[in-house]
Amino acid sequence: MAGTIYGATVYYDADCNLDALKGKKITVLGYGSQGHAHALNLKESGMDVTVGLRDGSKSWQVAEKDGLPVKTTAEAVKGADVVMVLIPDELQAETYEKDIAPNLKKGAYLGFAHGFNVHYKKIVPPADANVFMVAPKGPGHLVRRTFQEGSGVPSLYAVEKDPSGDTKELALAWAAGIGAGRAGILGTTFREETETDLFGEQAVLCGGICELMQAGFETLTKAGYHPVNAYFECVHEMKLIVDLIYEGGFHTMRSSISNTAEYGDYATGTKLITAETRKEMEQVLADIQSGAFADEFLADYKDGFKKLYARREKAANHESEKVGAELRGLMSWIKK
Ligand SMILES: NC(=O)C1=CN([C@@H]2O[C@H](COP(=O)(O)OP(=O)(O)OC[C@H]3O[C@@H](n4cnc5c(N)ncnc54)[C@H](OP(=O)(O)O)[C@@H]3O)[C@@H](O)[C@H]2O)C=CC1
Ligand SMILES: CC(=O)[C@](C)(O)C(=O)O
Ligand SMILES: [Mg+2]
Ligand SMILES: [Mg+2]
């Protein structure tokens, strides 16, 4: 049953009614990280799922091989009761105008896994549409893997428009259908999910941690230590440390490491994450809240993703990637 944690209601499978989705014609647009997970998990939860992809999509054969019916985006939207938009954020607005809006049936449910386009008003759905979000707090491939393993990824849900009066029930059914009801489902708003998700991925989960790990690797290799040692210390071991935090909080991790490491943890952490760093984090959040980040991201997309592709290329050539690839080749237990 629903739990109350820090005053927030967290829903679990027992609070969700899959019948809210059963018998509905569901379309999942996109078959990438999130799309394949939602489509397959919902299919295995007994739902009628069709995948919508653009012509010539490299994901088309993959989805068909996985046993899912595939149509073009526009065709897949036609007649669907529920349309979940799991295509890249930068492509959603143009796809909405071209293929979704003209074909979305009156009173349909329109879903997202991230609030970006609705929150920043790049997509403004019609008054008769029921607009919801189910946002897994984890990568799509883990949404799929944990579902298959019998667990799930915690998710947020939000309802932006609800003319039918039952959109929350449908959103909870969607979350349960992808496995989130096993881990916890928290209610939020499109604004809050958008701002917290963008902040988390930039300042902590992706931007912050990757820069920290690579700066550590570079500090050691620049000082003449072997790159393999630097990789083991600053990259490979991160999972082992974070796994303990995941399983039991910082206390559990700190009770497993040595007193030496724990002393160094407290003594040095605040030398690196300083008052300056915290001020910078506040600026990152301000740029997200103002829409400045969203505009910068979409401007780069319109400019052919020049900045994104240049940074992707630079990152791929980082020495730690080369060392890691060789080492992982010798670690048979790592899932490829
Ligand atoms: N990645 C993640 O783990 C998370 C993502 N999200 C959100 O989920 C959404 C999807 O992101 P993500 O799964 O990473 O995306 P991916 O880039 O992994 O996959 C995008 C998919 O969309 C397809 N696609 C592209 N254009 C169209 C179109 N016009 N019509 C139909 N399909 C299309 C692509 O196929 P092809 O290129 O072959 O045409 C591909 O299958 C985003 O809103 C994102 O913010 C939320 C939480 C976590
Ligand atoms: C995986 C996830 O939650 C992210 C980092 O927000 C994303 O991929 O957008
Ligand atoms: Mg996220
Ligand atoms: Mg995100």
Side-chain angles (χ1 to χ4, degrees):
M1 289 309 281
T4 304
I5 300 166
Y6 265 62
T9 302
V10 182
Y11 298 97
Y12 294 90
D13 279 338
D15 308 300
C16 306
N17 177 8
L18 288 177
D19 290 345
L21 268 180
K22 283 246 167 79
K24 282 192 168 61
K25 297 197 80 48
I26 295 168
T27 279
V28 172
L29 297 181
Y31 203 69
S33 180
Q34 289 293 327
H36 89 287
H38 290 235
L40 289 169
N41 294 3
L42 285 170
K43 176 174 181 251
E44 289 168 18
S45 295
M47 305 304 166
D48 170 8
V49 179
T50 296
V51 174
L53 289 169
R54 52 188 170 180
D55 258 336
S57 161
K58 48 188 182 309
S59 318
W60 197 294
Q61 285 73 27
V62 180
E64 284 187 329
K65 196 170 66 57
D66 290 345
L68 288 153
V70 187
K71 293 179 182 172
T72 59
T73 308
E75 285 306 310
V77 172
K78 276 181 196 155
D81 299 308
V82 190
V83 175
M84 174 60 97
V85 185
L86 297 181
I87 72 178
D89 294 311
E90 68 275 13
L91 299 180
Q92 289 186 16
E94 64 196 60
T95 304
Y96 177 79
E97 294 308 327
K98 177 171 162 293
D99 291 326
I100 302 171
N103 297 296
L104 192 66
K105 83 176 186 185
K106 203 168 163 39
Y109 299 81
L110 181 65
F112 299 85
H114 182 40
F116 188 95
N117 279 282
V118 171
H119 173 57
Y120 292 118
K121 302 199 181 337
K122 309 301 178 188
I123 291 177
V124 182
D128 64 77
N130 299 285
V131 182
F132 73 100
M133 175 184 357
V134 173
K137 293 288 95 185
H141 294 86
L142 274 296
V143 172
R144 178 64 184 152
R145 191 192 301 173
T146 54
F147 179 86
Q148 289 175 299
E149 290 166 353
S151 67
V153 169
S155 294
L156 306 182
Y157 85 88
V159 174
E160 184 81 359
K161 291 176 187 262
D162 182 24
S164 67
D166 62 1
T167 308
K168 173 181 173 181
E169 196 190 17
L170 184 127
L172 286 175
W174 189 286
I178 64 170
R182 303 158 182 177
I185 306 159
L186 176 69
T188 186
T189 63
F190 272 67
R191 179 187 65 76
E192 187 179 73
E193 186 280 335
T194 301
E195 293 175 352
T196 53
D197 187 71
L198 291 175
F199 176 79
E201 63 199 21
Q202 293 175 29
V204 181
L205 299 172
C206 309
I209 198 76
C210 291
E211 196 61 26
L212 177 71
M213 291 161 80
Q214 292 192 335
F217 176 89
E218 290 166 17
T219 304
L220 289 178
T221 52
K222 212 162 73 181
Y225 298 99
H226 198 284
V228 171
N229 183 357
Y231 183 84
F232 281 151
E233 183 60 32
C234 298
V235 183
H236 187 78
E237 191 173 346
M238 178 59 80
K239 170 177 168 36
L240 310 180
I241 293 287
V242 170
D243 276 357
L244 289 174
I245 297 171
Y246 174 90
E247 288 161 14
F250 293 100
H251 168 75
T252 295
M253 182 274 285
R254 286 169 172 150
S255 59
S256 178
I257 62 176
S258 64
N259 291 339
T260 324
E262 187 180 1
Y263 181 88
D265 168 351
Y266 302 132
T268 305
T270 48
K271 287 182 191 159
L272 297 176
I273 307 298
T274 63
E276 266 318 287
T277 314
R278 290 169 185 272
K279 257 176 85 54
E280 199 45 55
M281 285 178 127
E282 287 165 10
Q283 185 56 52
V284 165
L285 181 56
D287 289 345
I288 290 164
Q289 290 169 329
S290 69
F293 168 78
D295 294 344
E296 179 194 333
F297 171 64
L298 292 175
D300 191 50
Y301 162 65
K302 292 194 175 81
D303 188 29
F305 266 154
K306 284 201 188 77
K307 282 189 210 161
L308 175 66
Y309 295 153
R311 291 301 303 271
R312 189 177 283 179
E313 171 79 13
K314 183 166 176 266
N317 291 314
H318 193 272
E319 190 181 21
S320 64
E321 287 285 67
K322 297 184 178 117
V323 177
E326 282 199 48
L327 284 168
R328 287 189 297 273
L330 303 170
M331 297 176 183
S332 56
W333 66 90
I334 293 183
K335 288 186 177 134
K336 303 288 182 268

